[in-house]
Amino acid sequence: MIRWLALLFAFAWSTSTGAVPAPRNESPLHPVSVAADTLREPPVLVNRSSTPRTVEVFLTAAPARLALSPGRVTDAYAYNGMVPGPTIEAHEGDKVIVHFRNNLPETTTIHWHGLHIPADMDGSPLHPVPPGGVKDYVFTIDFGAAGTYWYHPHPDVRTGYQVAKGLYGAFIIRPAHDPLPPLPEKLLILSDNRFRRDGSIDIPAPRSTAAIVDEENGREGNVMLVNGQVMPKIRIRSGEVQRWRVINASAARVYRLAIPGQTFLQVGSDGGLFEHPTEANEVMLSNSERVELVVRGAGAPGSATTLQTLPYDRYMPQTRPDDWNHPRNLLALSYTGQPPTIPVTLPRTLRMIPVLDTTKATVHRVIVLSQGLINGRVMDMGRVDVNVKLGATEIWSIENVVGMDHPFHLHGFRFQLLDRNGVPVRDRHWKDTVNVPKHESVRFVVHFDAHPGKWMFHCHILDHEDHGMMGILQIN
Ligand code: C2O
Ligand code: CU
Ligand code: CU
């Protein structure tokens, strides 16, 4: 194992620049590796506004005929005709206007996962867009929100189906001044899917055995996709340093990311950059979590390795897949022969994250997760489960009382982890989703500082969410 954190701060690094940068999507913000990757990234949506600090885009969800599995065209759903959907990019402080049109044969919404925006713009199941309907999503991006987010449908009971059909995309927020130096940047949207022999998407018939297993495990697929591609390749020079933004868009698969033979430097998670980079041999990513990684070309020129996901036992024993205990390859990483050139150093401190003061907490809540239930109940669109006073700071204790992991997500408000099973979490960072492993508990502190209205909280295994493992929070 190559240890390189110590080197990181002590010496200047080398990275690839100097060659003619190839155009990367439509956003020439970052230098690009010289050799061609086979990894493609969704194009960045064109900003149609000429008003400063405004991002105005058009997004349509519609049926499409696409090759979701290699070589086989099938009936899919797509945003602007592509899977994943186009990437939306904005800066902190920008006003964002998304003109959305639903050309699907069913009701949908777009949920802006992780964004702190007005409740009626959140795309929750309470604000459906019917077939043929339109909605303008209008919101302003907070300062301090820079990070990697994503968008996906969130209609009542149909989220898993619509995501499986192809509806998901990335939403990247950039700060005015990024604390990291300009590095070649890659977006990796991880997903998995299951197909029948004819290439159609394998969604089991309701009440079949397969459907019951999916309902318990969450639907996993044996085809691993990065930006919709099977085993794409990234080339990296020996010594080159790249910045990867990784999104888990899978319905249920949890990733334990590792690159055999080298470490990562994790620089951020759901709500943007950490205060300090941390070196890791592997990085766990539960459903809808995001990470930002700094990856170094650590191998010998001409050699290759893979980005893998290592086995992780999140399952109930009776429905655990037989092949769960195998690593799976996601992406090829090949070390090119070109010599490294321009040195680069990373800052020791990326930013300061303000502390949410736990002494201000007026309410301590316990949220119990059991199989398919939150606090013993299934979701009811007409019920409010939790009442919160606008401006309150609260401590939530999420307690998983069953033998399966449940990734817990709160809409609209990012939080800071306090402890896991009573053991303090030392590093302060912003989260909107946290995995709660079987029979474990997690506590976090959250400040409901704005945006009154109704908000969702739920398990982000999409099958669990759709079957009612969700509650409604009302802020007054
Ligand atoms: Cu990714 Cu309720 O959301
Ligand atoms: Cu969300
Ligand atoms: Cu769950």
Side-chain angles (χ1 to χ4, degrees), residues 111-115 122 152 154 409-412 432-433 458 460:
H111 171 55
W112 315 99
H113 181 114
L115 299 191
D122 182 54
H152 61 79
H154 212 310
H409 170 51
L410 173 63
H411 279 217
D432 52 61
T433 307
H458 59 89
H460 218 292

Side-chain angles (χ1 to χ4, degrees), residues 202-364:
D202 181 359
I203 295 168
R207 289 176 292 279
S208 61
T209 308
I212 291 163
V213 171
D214 279 359
E215 189 180 326
E216 175 132 306
N217 278 345
R219 181 174 176 274
E220 289 186 344
N222 57 341
V223 178
M224 312 298 291
L225 301 163
V226 181
N227 299 349
Q229 292 174 275
V230 175
M231 266 302 265
K233 185 195 285 179
I234 288 180
R235 294 169 188 267
I236 189 167
R237 280 191 204 189
S238 295
E240 179 186 342
V241 178
Q242 299 185 348
R243 177 177 185 174
W244 292 4
R245 297 172 183 269
V246 191
I247 300 169
N248 181 356
S250 283
R253 184 175 295 283
V254 170
Y255 296 84
R256 264 176 74 201
L257 299 176
I259 300 176
Q262 71 171 86
T263 56
F264 303 105
L265 202 62
Q266 188 178 353
V267 293
S269 64
D270 300 349
L273 293 176
F274 288 167
E275 290 194 322
H276 311 288
T278 342
E279 191 187 22
N281 291 319
E282 59 175 74
V283 173
M284 181 146 148
L285 205 55
S286 77
N287 312 97
S288 92
E289 285 186 304
R290 290 85 64 205
V291 285
E292 287 194 50
L293 303 173
V294 169
V295 176
R296 191 182 65 148
S303 67
T305 185
T306 49
L307 173 68
Q308 293 187 320
T309 180
L310 304 176
Y312 176 68
D313 184 8
R314 65 181 188 81
Y315 311 95
M316 288 284 189
Q318 65 274 17
T319 49
R320 183 191 289 132
D322 294 335
D323 63 348
W324 76 273
N325 199 10
H326 294 280
R328 289 167 185 267
N329 292 332
L330 304 176
L331 175 132
L333 188 63
S334 75
Y335 304 110
T336 68
Q338 299 125 308
T341 50
I342 311 295
V344 63
T345 43
L346 296 192
R348 186 185 295 269
T349 298
L350 301 172
R351 63 167 173 169
M352 297 311 286
I353 293 178
V355 192
L356 287 186
D357 186 353
T358 53
T359 66
K360 296 225 174 81
T362 48
V363 178
H364 290 62

